[in-house]
Amino acid sequence: MPTPPQKATRGTIHIHVAKRDLGLASVRYRGLLPGCALGALGWRVEVGSGDTMPSPGSAVALSVKPTSAKDAQWVQKVASAGTPVIADLCDNVFIEGYGDQGTTIGDRIKGMCQYLAAMTVPTTALREEVVACTGLPVERTLLVSDIIETPDLLVRQRELLGIQEGLMQRVRRALRWTPKAPTAAGPVLLWFGNHGATYANYGLNDLLLFTDALAEAARRPGAELWVVSNHRERYEQLASQLPITCRYFDWTPDVVDALLPVTDVCLVPNSLDAFSLTKSANRAVKALSHQVPVIATPTAAYAELDGAVWLGDPRQGVIEYLDRTHARRDHLAQARKVIATHYSFSSLKRAMAGVLATVQGRQA
């Protein structure tokens, strides 16, 4: 059953997700947060999964990461019934072996495009891949950036899913409760993200790319690397290879929000393989929104963050951010401006309004 739509006056938009699970980044960043933006624009928003069809008369359906055969059937069925369908992709599904299925998923997306009114993606690099691999016109391949996920927006997402919380959970939300962060005797470096996959070189192993930076940080008494991920066993295999004291935390949005305020530097290494090159800068933006400086590998997604993050030698970045003040001060000042322009909830509302204008203009 879909979530009962939010009350509004402009009509209904259906958001279709693989699973009603806040633990999935694609569900939150690419489905629920756009849904919150659409609700703020005055639309009724309903969330469904599985075989759930849009309510009769729905203006648009947004299918988030429709990579399975059932997803493709759903898209075809909804579009054939007369509801314009937007598909959202957050990964380069066209690489060989994605999802351990060879080229099956990429081929499925190519076939799906004939039924789509538009496709949305988080980065210009992924937009270029979609256009090159599917032939979908560039004017129908639309950029919708991943924005900051704030505690307030997590509450809105829970409401959109119809999650009913108990009294203690409501009290904690009202008090903006988050888990208590531990203390460290020295500077804290933070990495958070998915542990990785077999089809691409990303995840926990990316930390090995910053070994020199971690060794530099470890020269400071009490320095620690905090790792937030979803695979403790893989972390334990990696930790012995890292030249710094490490601590592991099981991933939840609340844990990340608790740790960032006591973090000195956030690390975002990238292997620069075909999959990783198309990823968004959402982890960096999340850290910057907490006034935590970021050391990252430069990719196209970081072009808008130039001057707001450290994209040079990672070891030198550790020195600048931990031992000096001007780089931290200047970069965080620039980050506030960039976030307000490109990664705020207001910017997401503008982007989604543009998407709807494109789709509805095409249907006119």
Side-chain angles (χ1 to χ4, degrees):
M1 293 293 291
T3 301
Q6 295 177 324
K7 292 183 179 180
T9 59
R10 301 187 67 179
T12 299
I13 292 179
H14 182 95
I15 297 178
H16 191 260
V17 296
K19 186 184 293 186
R20 298 163 59 85
D21 183 358
L22 283 170
L24 297 175
S26 60
V27 170
R28 299 193 326 277
Y29 280 101
R30 310 307 300 172
L32 298 181
L33 284 172
C36 292
L38 292 166
L41 290 170
W43 293 89
R44 296 182 184 91
V45 179
E46 62 182 18
V47 181
S49 60
D51 296 328
T52 302
M53 295 292 286
S55 294
S58 293
V60 173
L62 170 63
S63 182
V64 178
K65 205 172 182 179
T67 55
S68 72
K70 286 187 176 180
D71 292 333
Q73 293 167 3
W74 187 93
V75 168
Q76 180 177 352
K77 185 176 181 180
V78 172
S80 299
T83 300
V85 179
I86 303 164
D88 182 88
L89 285 185
C90 58
D91 287 339
N92 182 2
V93 301
F94 306 103
I95 63 170
E96 174 70 35
Y98 182 82
D100 297 323
Q101 296 185 46
T103 63
T104 299
I105 292 176
D107 293 341
R108 184 176 293 136
I109 296 294
K110 296 174 191 177
M112 185 188 302
C113 286
Q114 63 184 301
Y115 302 104
L116 299 178
M119 185 179 291
T120 52
V121 294
T123 67
T124 55
L126 185 52
R127 184 183 191 182
E128 292 169 359
E129 282 292 315
V130 168
V131 172
C133 294
T134 69
L136 193 69
V138 67
E139 62 270 16
R140 288 166 51 200
T141 310
L142 308 174
L143 185 64
V144 177
S145 298
D146 289 339
I147 66 161
I148 301 166
E149 187 179 47
T150 63
D152 284 347
L153 286 175
L154 276 170
V155 172
R156 293 198 201 189
Q157 290 177 79
R158 289 183 175 96
E159 293 171 348
L160 196 58
L161 284 179
I163 294 175
Q164 300 296 317
E165 297 181 315
L167 176 61
M168 183 57 67
Q169 285 78 16
R170 292 197 299 272
V171 169
R172 286 170 171 172
R173 297 292 171 210
L175 296 174
R176 300 191 178 189
W177 177 86
T178 56
K180 182 178 175 60
T183 58
V188 172
L189 289 81
L190 177 70
W191 181 93
F192 60 96
N194 188 290
H195 67 87
T198 58
Y199 54 79
N201 185 21
Y202 78 100
L204 283 166
N205 283 341
D206 282 349
L207 282 165
L208 295 173
L209 300 171
F210 278 13
T211 299
D212 289 346
L214 293 171
E216 175 62 43
R219 294 175 59 236
R220 291 145 186 85
E224 293 187 11
L225 171 66
W226 292 357
V227 174
V228 185
S229 195
N230 58 340
H231 203 303
R232 183 180 288 273
E233 182 179 348
R234 289 193 67 178
Y235 156 78
E236 290 174 349
Q237 293 170 354
L238 175 73
S240 62
Q241 304 175 58
L242 300 176
I244 190 171
T245 299
C246 301
R247 201 182 307 204
Y248 179 83
F249 303 83
D250 286 314
W251 185 92
T252 72
D254 288 334
V255 165
V256 175
D257 280 327
L259 299 184
L260 280 169
V262 293
T263 295
D264 294 287
V265 178
C266 182
L267 304 178
V268 191
N270 188 305
S271 71
L272 303 180
D273 68 7
F275 177 82
S276 304
L277 277 171
T278 62
K279 298 299 287 183
S280 80
N282 59 13
R283 285 183 291 167
V285 171
K286 175 80 169 178
L288 292 170
S289 72
H290 283 264
Q291 292 294 286
V292 178
V294 173
I295 300 173
T297 305
T299 67
Y302 281 82
E304 291 174 346
L305 291 170
D306 188 27
V309 300
W310 186 272
L311 299 176
D313 174 56
R315 177 179 174 276
Q316 187 62 36
V318 167
I319 294 171
E320 295 292 336
Y321 283 153
L322 294 185
D323 299 343
R324 300 164 186 169
T325 60
H326 69 277
R328 174 187 289 265
R329 181 193 63 237
D330 294 347
H331 286 186
L332 292 178
Q334 178 64 14
R336 288 191 288 272
K337 297 176 184 177
V338 173
I339 287 171
T341 302
H342 298 290
Y343 302 104
S344 65
F345 188 60
S346 295
S347 69
L348 180 59
K349 289 193 292 183
R350 291 193 298 270
M352 294 309 298
V355 170
L356 292 185
T358 296
V359 170
Q360 292 174 327
R362 185 167 183 266
Q363 299 302 311

